[in-house]
Amino acid sequence: MPELPEVEIWREHLERWLVGRRIVDADVPDRLLRGGQSRRRVESVLRGATVGAVSRRGKFLTLELRGQRPGVLMHLGMTGSFERVPSGAGLPRFTRAVVGLARGERVAFVDVRRLGQFRVVGDTERRRLEALGVEPLSRELTASKLFELTRKSRRPIKVFLMDQHRVAGLGNIHAAEALFAAGIHPERSARSLTRDELRGLTRGIRRALRSELRRSRGKTLRYLQQGGDNTFLVYGHAGEPCPSCGTPIVKIVQGGRSSYYCPSCQAKRNPR
Ligand SMILES: [Zn+2]
């Protein structure tokens, strides 16, 4: 599943490919991706529009269109990716939406499992974006913000971090990596964390996302489309030695998702 750093990389690609370009044609035949909007509505918003910007909020991308047009919201779901298709070349398999540019060039949204989204920003979409929590790659994410947000939550910190209404777009992998970096057990209740621990966690979240952003920037598009390999410290490493102390990494299930942690570096008891 594309995580926040990959979504940001796609945003950068789309920005290079589309900003300032006029969309001469659009083809959005996939009903599931449109989420109840008519094909005509989505295509007509795109046709003739010029792309002003490509923005990201959590794991949602928006094509901002110039003039009075609404934007187009995109989500990669489990298997979404983009491809720039030169004039005369065939569209990739599992193409679900196509934006046609001048001189026959196209940008295809490819999604094998069709769990992605490609729809006009209407009231529903706007409400969904507004309901998202703090943006983990922005200055909004501070230890005091996390302190304030966690005070009323008895939920385990790992589950709390993955709630999109608290922190937008932080996925399973980076939540695990951030908790490891901060030495916090994933089952600790959110409100039990001290200011000091939350400072460490804030740093851990930023570091986990930024280091993957750096890694992904150096990779090819094909690599991004195929989902990459496991370069994480604890995620996916159950039974293997902790990179810091050698204790075997433990895997548990929380809120239906796998959590990985080092029982020695991330002790469960509250400090002091
Ligand atoms: Zn350890």
Side-chain angles (χ1 to χ4, degrees):
M1 187 188 332
E3 297 283 348
L4 194 142
E6 290 95 75
V7 177
E8 174 59 20
I9 300 283
W10 283 120
R11 191 197 67 75
E12 294 171 5
H13 282 297
L14 290 174
E15 191 173 71
R16 276 194 293 276
W17 297 343
L18 293 172
V19 170
R21 303 287 304 268
R22 186 162 174 275
I23 295 169
V24 297
D25 197 15
D27 191 18
V28 189
D30 197 286
R31 180 176 56 79
L32 281 182
L33 264 65
R34 294 194 314 265
Q37 296 181 353
S38 76
R39 179 170 181 174
R40 207 173 139 242
R41 175 159 187 231
V42 183
E43 293 176 353
S44 66
V45 160
L46 286 163
R47 252 180 226 130
T50 300
V51 179
V54 184
S55 60
R56 181 186 58 74
R57 187 73 176 87
K59 286 165 69 169
F60 289 93
L61 293 171
T62 305
L63 286 184
E64 318 265 4
L65 305 174
R66 287 185 189 156
Q68 299 301 306
R69 294 176 192 248
V72 170
L73 187 72
M74 302 176 292
H75 193 285
L76 300 175
M78 294 287 285
T79 55
S81 67
F82 297 93
E83 191 152 332
R84 184 156 61 162
V85 185
S87 168
L91 289 169
R93 205 172 160 209
F94 307 118
T95 291
R96 309 296 182 195
V98 185
V99 166
L101 307 169
R103 296 184 295 277
E105 192 186 319
R106 287 152 297 162
V107 173
F109 179 81
V110 183
D111 185 6
V112 180
R113 291 190 55 187
R114 298 168 72 206
L115 294 169
Q117 297 175 24
F118 199 100
R119 53 194 71 161
V120 172
V121 179
D123 289 342
T124 313
E125 289 72 24
R126 203 166 296 120
R127 273 197 298 273
R128 189 171 307 149
L129 290 172
E130 281 165 3
L132 293 172
V134 291
E135 189 59 49
L137 277 170
S138 79
R139 284 167 195 274
E140 264 178 62
L141 181 84
T142 59
S144 42
K145 184 70 188 174
L146 275 189
F147 186 80
E148 173 200 321
L149 290 173
T150 47
R151 287 315 89 185
K152 282 182 184 152
S153 178
R154 292 168 190 273
R155 287 189 296 173
I157 185 62
K158 166 81 179 333
V159 176
F160 174 93
L161 287 177
M162 290 180 60
D163 178 350
Q164 303 302 293
H165 301 113
R166 302 299 190 160
V167 182
L170 193 65
N172 201 28
I173 295 175
H174 299 104
E177 297 289 295
L179 287 167
F180 174 71
I184 297 170
H185 192 289
E187 286 181 318
R188 290 271 307 279
S189 87
R191 67 175 192 181
S192 77
L193 299 181
T194 64
R195 278 184 193 275
D196 258 6
E197 288 177 309
L198 290 169
R199 251 189 294 280
L201 185 57
T202 308
R203 270 197 303 273
I205 293 171
R206 272 208 206 100
R207 207 173 295 159
L209 293 174
R210 287 195 181 141
S211 72
E212 191 170 355
L213 202 50
R214 266 194 306 276
R215 266 199 307 275
S216 304
R217 276 205 183 99
K219 304 288 184 187
T220 61
L221 281 182
R222 186 60 60 200
Y223 175 92
L224 279 180
Q225 281 153 355
Q226 288 166 355
D229 49 13
N230 185 348
T231 51
F232 307 110
L233 296 173
V234 288
Y235 182 84
H237 290 296
E240 293 170 35
C242 163
S244 162
C245 74
T247 306
I249 300 296
V250 170
K251 175 181 159 178
I252 55 170
V253 174
Q254 288 182 288
R257 308 292 301 275
S258 300
S259 289
Y260 298 86
Y261 68 97
C262 168
S264 155
C265 298
Q266 296 165 268
K268 193 165 183 179
R269 49 157 183 74
N270 288 10
R272 286 176 293 278

